[in-house]
Amino acid sequence: MIIGIVFLFLMHICSWIFKNGIFVNIGWIVYGLLFVIHPACPEKANNVKNIHLWIRLAGLLCIVGGIITRFGV
């Protein structure tokens, strides 16, 4: 999760430096893919029913947000 947040932060900086909002979109898509591929959840939430499914759905929402949203710089 920390790797995803750092990557998203770096994409925001690249977007600011290059004055191109596509970097933010790519950052959100990669951040969502991290959760779709490997749904990381806290230890206390392991007993919640279908927690990995809900985390993957949240990752898909991040991907959809990265695809359909146009971030300006």
Side-chain angles (χ1 to χ4, degrees), residues 5-27:
I5 292 171
V6 168
F7 183 76
L8 192 58
F9 178 73
L10 290 175
M11 288 291 109
H12 277 280
I13 290 176
C14 286
S15 175
W16 179 67
I17 290 172
F18 296 116
K19 304 289 189 226
N20 193 349
I22 193 72
F23 290 108
V24 179
N25 293 68
I26 292 170

Side-chain angles (χ1 to χ4, degrees), residues 21-54:
I22 193 72
F23 290 108
V24 179
N25 293 68
I26 292 170
W28 277 108
I29 292 170
V30 171
Y31 185 70
L33 278 174
L34 288 174
F35 283 105
V36 170
I37 294 170
H38 180 71
C41 65
E43 289 183 26
K44 293 181 179 181
N46 278 335
N47 58 358
V48 176
K49 186 178 178 181
N50 297 329
I51 188 70
H52 294 295
L53 174 68
W54 289 107

